[in-house]
């Protein structure tokens, strides 16, 4: 491996912008790729060069291996960063990059392949003496055998796809009668989503915490962990708020979970940034869930409490450099929280809310970080994951971090499309959240009202639009032609959805 000079970023949105920023700081040139829907996207503007790779659907663009390799060749890129999602955990893509003698900024294709198969990952973790979520380590094929396995585990159980991810191919089963259908449905979904129909059973824990450990390894076999992220605040088994540290860990438990995560990474000769996910249940006992072989959406909270730039470190390690620290050099300081801001409408079941962002104002202030893939005027296409931006704060303790996040959310304005800003503030201020009493059913159990309070925000929005029209900073408002009257625009975009 040699020093990386030019990185092709095989992604879009906030993570592409994040990677491009790291490249700039390190004097590395960056190449953006984009679909026809993303010609004006922020990641395209931020990169040194950009290559159009295909039509809007991701299968014809961001998932198109040949087009990505051709873009790397034509621009002379020597490395590819996959970000998260898209091809980040596709071992075939990583293998192709290796075969092309380009540097894949991530682990070996072999490590991705092993961990991408949840059954194989479970086997590897078990062999490394790491406790697993109780359940099967072979695919369930025979219904009679599966029923016996479920009885032995005790209901509820969860049917999971071996090739699964993104919450797809999972079914919770509460009674023996429901098992056969659940297995069939999960298997069908797994076949169509991952071209792999294999499913298996796990014990389903009631209200566990999702606590994951960030690991990092270099090519020389040095492996460290960078402590935990608490990711229990989830909707439909997808994370929406993450923090570090977790209120559930003692130093002793943290050390044990960290060691377990390092063991899993060592078992696949891991390289680069990875995350070992665990379920944590009262006892406390922790169980290996899966390993994600990429940078995570929620990596910034780890950066905030450790002071380590994980993306820059990915680039260094991929260039063959050793880790610049040992485990003993690392420590967690203060508290960090991240809120994911999606283009979605909390008031209508969190349906995607694509469209043009007429105006966006990012929050500012000490220890406030806004990782965004969009700006005023950006169009949010319907084709991709609807993440717009992530708001991350740091403070010396959790109480202050919550207050800072609340203030930062208050300052955040996104007009033209729906986003869960008000909803996030309600979650943060909920007494159970404030108490740190979290589990994966938190949002379901507390049933936080997703409708907007409305008027105050609207008044603020109108004022902002009015100011933009009256000649605010050139880049801060929608174009004049889009604004017959700020109230009219609001009526169209904001009041339209209110009853
Ligand atoms: P995916 O790879 O599809 O994201 P995971 O295995 O990482 O699936 O699980 C996603 C989420 O589903 C977890 O964070 C947790 O909320 C829930 N979950 C998964 N397995 C179990 C289980 N055995 N018991 C309880 N909850 C689970």
């Amino acid at each position: 491996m040699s020093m990386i000079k030019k990185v092709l970023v095989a992604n879009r949105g906030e993570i592409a912008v994040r990677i491009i920023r790291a490249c700039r700081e390190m004097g590395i040139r960056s190449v953006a790729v984009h679909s026809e829907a993303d010609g004006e996207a922020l990641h395209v503007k931020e990169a040194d060069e950009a290559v159009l790779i295909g039509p809007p659907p991701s299968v014809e663009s961001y998932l198109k291996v040949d087009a990505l390799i051709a873009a790397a060749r034509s621009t002379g890129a020597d490395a590819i960063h996959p970000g998260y999602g898209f091809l980040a955990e596709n071992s075939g893509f990583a293998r192709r990059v290796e075969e092309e003698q380009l540097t894949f900024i991530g682990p070996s294709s072999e490590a991705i392949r092993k961990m991408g198969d949840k059954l194989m990952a479970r086997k590897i973790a078990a062999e490394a003496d790491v406790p697993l979520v109780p359940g099967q380590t072979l695919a369930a094929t025979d219904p009679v055998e599966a029923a016996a396995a479920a009885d032995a585990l005790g209901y509820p159980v969860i049917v999971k796809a071996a090739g699964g991810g993104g919450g797809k191919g999972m079914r919770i089963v509460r009674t023996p009668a429901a098992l056969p259908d659940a297995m069939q449905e999960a298997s069908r979904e797994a076949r169509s989503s991952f071209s792999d129909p294999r499913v298996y059973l796990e014990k389903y824990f009631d209200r566990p915490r999702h606590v994951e450990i960030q690991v990092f390894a270099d090519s020389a076999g040095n492996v460290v962990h960078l402590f935990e992220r608490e990711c229990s605040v989830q909707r439909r088994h997808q994370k929406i708020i993450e923090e570090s540290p977790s209120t559930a860990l003692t130093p002793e438990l943290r050390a044990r979970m960290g060691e377990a995560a390092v063991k899993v990474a060592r078992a696949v000769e891991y390289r680069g940034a990875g995350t070992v996910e665990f379920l944590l249940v009262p006892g406390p006992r922790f169980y290996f869930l899966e390993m994600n072989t990429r940078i995570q959406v929620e990596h910034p909270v780890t950066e905030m409490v450790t002071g380590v730039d994980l993306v820059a470190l990915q680039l260094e390690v991929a260039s063959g450099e050793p880790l610049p620290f040992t485990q003993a050099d690392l420590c967690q300081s203060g508290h960090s929280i991240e809120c994911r801001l999606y283009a979605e409408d909390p008031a209508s079941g969190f349906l995607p809310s694509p469209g043009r962002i007429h105006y966006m104002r990012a929050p500012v202030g000490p220890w406030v970080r806004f990782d965004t893939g969009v700006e005023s005027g950006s169009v949010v296409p319907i084709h991709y994951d609807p993440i717009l931006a992530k708001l991350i704060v740091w403070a010396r303790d959790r109480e202050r971090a919550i207050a800072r996040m609340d203030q930062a959310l208050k300052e955040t304005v996104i007009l033209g499309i729906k986003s869960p800003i008000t909803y996030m503030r309600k979650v943060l201020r909920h007494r159970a959240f404030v108490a740190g009493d979290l589990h994966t059913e938190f949002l379901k159990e507390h049933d936080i009202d997703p409708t907007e309070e409305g008027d105050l925000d609207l008044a603020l929005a109108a004022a902002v639009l009015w100011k933009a029209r009256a000649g605010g900073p050139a880049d801060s408002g929608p174009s004049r032609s889009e604004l017959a009257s700020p109230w009219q625009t609001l009526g169209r975009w904001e009041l339209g959805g209110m009853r």
Side-chain angles (χ1 to χ4, degrees), residues 118 160 165-167 202-205 210 234 237 277 290 440:
K118 288 189 177 183
K160 280 192 175 178
E202 268 180 13
K203 168 92 195 136
Y204 185 74
F205 285 108
H210 174 121
Q234 303 182 347
H237 298 305
E277 297 188 334
E290 65 164 344
T440 58

Side-chain angles (χ1 to χ4, degrees), residues 107-119:
S108 67
S109 60
E110 193 54 15
I112 298 174
R113 186 182 65 80
K114 287 178 177 160
M115 288 303 175
D117 178 340
K118 288 189 177 183
L119 281 166

Side-chain angles (χ1 to χ4, degrees), residues 160-233:
K160 280 192 175 178
K168 285 207 191 102
M170 293 192 330
R171 289 288 184 286
I172 299 159
V173 186
R174 302 202 174 268
T175 61
L179 184 63
D181 282 355
M183 283 179 61
Q184 253 179 24
E185 280 169 32
S187 183
R188 206 177 311 128
E189 194 171 309
R191 186 194 295 277
S192 75
S193 301
F194 320 113
S195 317
D196 178 356
R198 290 175 306 144
V199 296
Y200 66 100
L201 300 178
E202 268 180 13
K203 168 92 195 136
Y204 185 74
F205 285 108
D206 183 39
R207 305 157 88 231
R209 283 178 184 252
H210 174 121
V211 178
E212 60 187 31
I213 303 285
Q214 174 73 53
V215 294
F216 226 107
D218 64 21
S219 311
N222 300 304
V223 189
V224 298
H225 71 84
L226 291 96
F227 315 103
E228 82 279 14
R229 289 184 289 260
E230 162 77 68
C231 310
S232 298
V233 181

